[in-house]
Amino acid sequence: MKLDNNTLAQLAEHLESAELKAHDVTKITDEYPDMDWDDAYAIQDIIRARKEGRGNKTVGLKCGLTSYAKMKQMGVDTPVFGFVSDYMACAEGSDIRTAELIHPKVEAEICVVTKSALKGPGCHVGAVMAAIDFVIPGVEIIDSRYRDFKFDLKSVIADNTSASRFVIGGRSRRVDELDLRTLGVVLEKNGQIVAMAAGAAVMGHPAAAIAALANHLGARGQEIPAGSFIMTGGVTEAIAVQAGDSVNVRFQDLGTVAMRFA
Ligand code: 0L1
Ligand code: MG
């Protein structure tokens, strides 16, 4: 760790306040170029503790920057991990209020709920497949607090990987009814197809993203508990949205997830 506890707490307050007040900030590594990966996750942990301290429940874990399309879009090569809170969940078909957001983008994500715990190191796709209870389609609305989505990996980890809103819809399926690698996803904005991909776009297999999450947590002495909701990361690049847009994502064998931006 390169930052002291006061600085970590102050940066967490700075980033969470930007989220809750919907205003952008410059990336924190501009001021703290020496901060390390542990500092970045420690700031994210403080943001999580602040939310939980106010009574917000942490309702899921997220993997980000897991598809080659997203890595290319953002110019990075490493997945990142974060969490989602109860107030971030939006009902399928609902209006999402853009006034509460800075510059939202949507991502189609294959999500799962686990039935047993997963613990790294050494977690692999087979262990993850055995631990998945069911698969459910989702859309994440990311909203980096950094001006123009300009950040580096440490800054974005501290900013809880741009987590903002998410919508779960469609239908859930048992994992043995699906081939997660060939599962097709078509993302439409205002009736036009704007992106499409298959599950294998996510690290070759969406379960590989969950294994990476378990190994990341394992290195910090933590695990993925049974019953966890996990978002495996956008299968395509993220698509910018604004008030008036409608988004419809068709997931092969899993139905459609739809929302409007108001
Ligand atoms: O969920 C994600 O893939 C977001 C990761 C953070 C980077 C971004 O804001 O695009
Ligand atoms: Mg995402």
Side-chain angles (χ1 to χ4, degrees):
M1 303 275 296
K2 296 278 174 18
L3 303 182
D4 60 42
N5 286 345
N6 278 348
T7 307
L8 294 172
Q10 179 224 314
L11 288 170
E13 197 275 335
H14 171 67
L15 290 172
E16 204 207 8
S17 165
E19 179 213 336
L20 298 177
K21 295 181 182 153
H23 67 76
D24 61 12
V25 294
T26 53
K27 67 181 194 307
I28 58 175
T29 48
D30 288 349
E31 203 174 337
Y32 297 96
D34 295 335
M35 66 179 272
D36 64 19
W37 302 102
D38 289 335
D39 293 320
Y41 278 107
I43 294 166
Q44 184 192 118
D45 287 346
I46 297 169
I47 292 174
R48 180 169 166 169
R50 287 171 62 94
K51 292 183 188 307
E52 291 175 353
R54 288 196 301 271
N56 288 125
K57 204 163 177 288
T58 299
V59 294
L61 301 172
K62 59 164 282 190
C63 310
L65 302 172
T66 50
S67 73
Y68 304 120
K70 273 260 4 189
M71 288 186 193
K72 187 165 167 226
Q73 181 182 33
M74 305 317 299
V76 298
D77 59 4
T78 313
V80 292
F81 306 102
F83 67 90
V84 286
S85 297
D86 50 6
Y87 70 90
M88 299 179 183
C90 300
E92 219 267 332
S94 67
D95 281 354
I96 295 172
R97 288 187 291 278
T98 51
E100 296 173 2
L101 308 175
I102 305 164
H103 42 199
K105 295 183 183 181
V106 292
E107 301 188 324
E109 306 215 8
I110 296 168
C111 306
V112 309
V113 173
T114 58
K115 62 185 174 199
S116 50
L118 283 164
K119 192 165 171 54
C123 187
H124 53 76
V125 168
V128 173
M129 294 298 279
I132 293 175
D133 192 0
F134 58 88
V135 180
I136 189 162
V139 172
E140 182 178 24
I141 296 99
I142 54 168
D143 192 33
S144 175
R145 270 53 72 170
Y146 297 118
R147 197 154 301 149
D148 302 324
F149 270 83
K150 288 207 172 73
F151 47 67
D152 49 28
L153 281 176
K154 289 171 193 160
S155 295
V156 87
I157 289 165
D159 185 31
N160 189 22
T161 67
S162 311
S164 177
R165 300 285 184 272
F166 67 97
V167 182
I168 300 303
R171 60 164 297 192
S172 58
R173 297 286 287 259
R174 285 175 26 178
V175 69
D176 60 5
E177 295 172 344
L178 301 167
D179 180 347
L180 296 184
R181 292 165 308 155
T182 59
L183 195 152
V185 180
V186 177
L187 199 163
E188 296 170 0
K189 181 169 111 174
N190 302 329
Q192 303 288 320
I193 295 174
V194 288
M196 59 183 120
V202 173
M203 298 179 71
H205 194 307
I210 300 172
L213 169 63
N215 290 328
H216 159 77
L217 291 176
R220 308 178 84 216
Q222 299 166 17
E223 64 177 25
I224 304 176
S228 292
F229 166 68
I230 306 168
M231 311 183 74
T232 62
V235 291
T236 71
E237 71 273 28
I239 304 295
V241 288
Q242 57 188 12
D245 286 340
S246 61
V247 168
N248 212 49
V249 186
R250 300 172 197 278
F251 290 81
Q252 184 181 2
D253 300 326
L254 292 170
T256 296
V257 181
M259 73 221 62
R260 289 179 304 272
F261 289 84

